[in-house]
Amino acid sequence: RGEITKYLENSNAYIAGVEELLKKTNRNDWREDFKQFKIEVSSYDSFLKNEILPKTRTSPNLPLELYALALKNTGVDIGADELIKKGKSDFEILYKKYQEYAVKIAKKHGLSKSDPLSVISFLKKEQVSKLEDVQKLYDGVAQELEVIIRENELVSLPSKKLIIRLAGDAESRANPVPHLNPPPLIGNDGSILPEFVVPTSSTGKLPFDDFSYKSAAMILAAHEGRPGHDLQFSQMLENPVSIIRARYAANSVNTEGWALYAEDLVFNYLSLEEQFAGLQMRLWRVARYFLDPSVQLGLVSADEVEYIFHHRLGVSKEMAALEYQRYAFRSPGQATAYYHGLEKIRALKKSLVSEYGQMNLKCFNDTLLSYGLMPHDSILLFKDDFRKCVNKK
């Protein structure tokens, strides 16, 4: 029911957003078709409201077999019970570090309260949402990250510049979370590049304040830009892999695992405040590891999801509500991919180091990226490729 209700709530805003984008084309030949489009959307919405909504289920729980399939399609190869057990354990271990950082920042800035929620609230006061300010902020952090990557020889950078595109009001309403638009990997002559898309607002106010403050920009750009998603896809364009390696078995575990691993690559070179924001985002992904299956198994309510995200992590209530919707009906199972992918890379690296010894970091990362979106377990079939990374200074 939540899925249908949310769609009906947003339908008129999306129609307005489509019209807004069409007006920007400076053409007039769309107006008659747009009138017909509005009529058909209205008819469709009436059908959903009158015919489908009364038949919807109030519980978000999928049949267990379907949820298991959702996990498998995401790339997760363990069951819900194991996800919950490991997720809860790792969350509490990392949360202690989060609390320690909060105390350090509170002391540094002379804050009266040192709990994570209070510290995050303090950092969020420095909001950035106007077009020119957002562009300046993200261009700046992208340049800083490239300096960190080069000076510390973390991974090879693509030859082409990172594209940061600011979304307008309509697009930002439809997708208010910063994200990467990946390029097609088949039939692309290199002219269609990845885009790091950052939501903005002409009013100066975004739907939530979790990504639009300065301390969060660095780790966010590392995840979506470089050395994260953008670098992974840019390398596949500049150093093409086979169609099988580019697409076969591609899933969220492959891509999101690299993006979290990329955060780890730059973490030690960030400021105290940026590291704190990074810890929040990492705990965010670990929380998903146990909350997604817990929601689907009926073990956790929307209120409990809000408590963990808002009161313990300092995430806005609006974003906490979106997290619950994600587990309940937007994309059950997918949110577990982030941390699972990171664990896969850690296990792969540990296995290789155990067999061959310590490896040059840049060589390891470049070799790992050379496999495209191949599942991490399958890369072990080609483990001898990593021999060249051993004993490099």
Side-chain angles (χ1 to χ4, degrees), residues 80-98:
D81 291 340
E82 191 173 346
L83 288 169
I84 293 171
K85 182 179 179 180
K86 179 172 176 54
K88 284 184 174 181
S89 175
D90 290 4
F91 181 90
E92 294 303 333
I93 292 171
L94 187 58
Y95 193 79
K96 292 179 181 178
K97 186 176 181 180
Y98 189 50

Side-chain angles (χ1 to χ4, degrees), residues 29-88:
D29 55 351
W30 52 270
R31 296 185 183 279
E32 289 302 315
D33 288 327
F34 184 72
K35 289 180 182 177
Q36 183 61 31
F37 169 71
K38 288 172 62 177
I39 291 171
E40 293 186 14
V41 170
S42 178
S43 175
Y44 176 71
D45 290 359
S46 295
F47 171 75
L48 287 181
K49 183 177 180 179
N50 298 321
E51 300 295 331
I52 302 299
L53 189 61
K55 300 179 176 68
T56 56
R57 53 190 169 89
T58 57
S59 167
N61 312 128
L62 290 171
L64 292 179
E65 294 84 357
L66 284 181
Y67 183 62
L69 182 61
L71 290 174
K72 181 179 180 180
N73 289 339
T74 296
V76 175
D77 55 4
I78 61 176
D81 291 340
E82 191 173 346
L83 288 169
I84 293 171
K85 182 179 179 180
K86 179 172 176 54
K88 284 184 174 181

Side-chain angles (χ1 to χ4, degrees), residues 13-14 16-18 20-21 24 129-131 165-176 198-207:
Y14 291 153
V18 170
E20 178 185 332
L21 292 172
K24 290 182 179 179
S129 59
K130 292 184 179 179
L131 289 175
R165 182 171 66 79
L166 305 184
D169 283 345
E171 187 179 1
S172 296
R173 282 199 296 269
N175 193 346
V198 182
T200 62
S201 172
S202 59
T203 65
K205 182 173 176 58
L206 292 165

Side-chain angles (χ1 to χ4, degrees), residues 189-289:
D189 61 3
S191 60
I192 307 174
L193 301 174
E195 290 182 326
F196 175 22
V197 183
V198 182
T200 62
S201 172
S202 59
T203 65
K205 182 173 176 58
L206 292 165
F208 32 75
D209 57 9
D210 298 288
F211 307 109
S212 49
Y213 63 102
K214 187 177 184 302
S215 298
M218 186 71 88
I219 202 73
L220 178 63
H223 182 100
E224 302 292 349
R226 297 176 180 175
H229 286 316
D230 173 87
L231 188 143
Q232 184 181 34
F233 282 93
S234 293
Q235 292 288 35
M236 283 189 282
L237 290 180
E238 294 190 4
N239 305 285
V241 296
S242 68
I243 291 176
I244 289 177
R245 289 192 177 190
R247 295 304 305 162
Y248 180 69
N251 52 47
S252 293
V253 166
N254 301 340
T255 54
E256 298 302 347
W258 171 262
L260 257 64
Y261 176 74
E263 293 176 15
D264 284 354
L265 289 177
V266 302
F267 184 86
N268 290 335
Y269 307 103
L270 306 183
S271 70
L272 180 66
E273 292 79 5
E274 290 163 350
Q275 288 182 338
F276 183 65
L279 286 172
Q280 186 209 42
M281 291 188 188
R282 178 54 50 82
L283 282 163
W284 195 324
R285 276 54 173 264
V286 180
R288 288 173 169 176
Y289 210 56

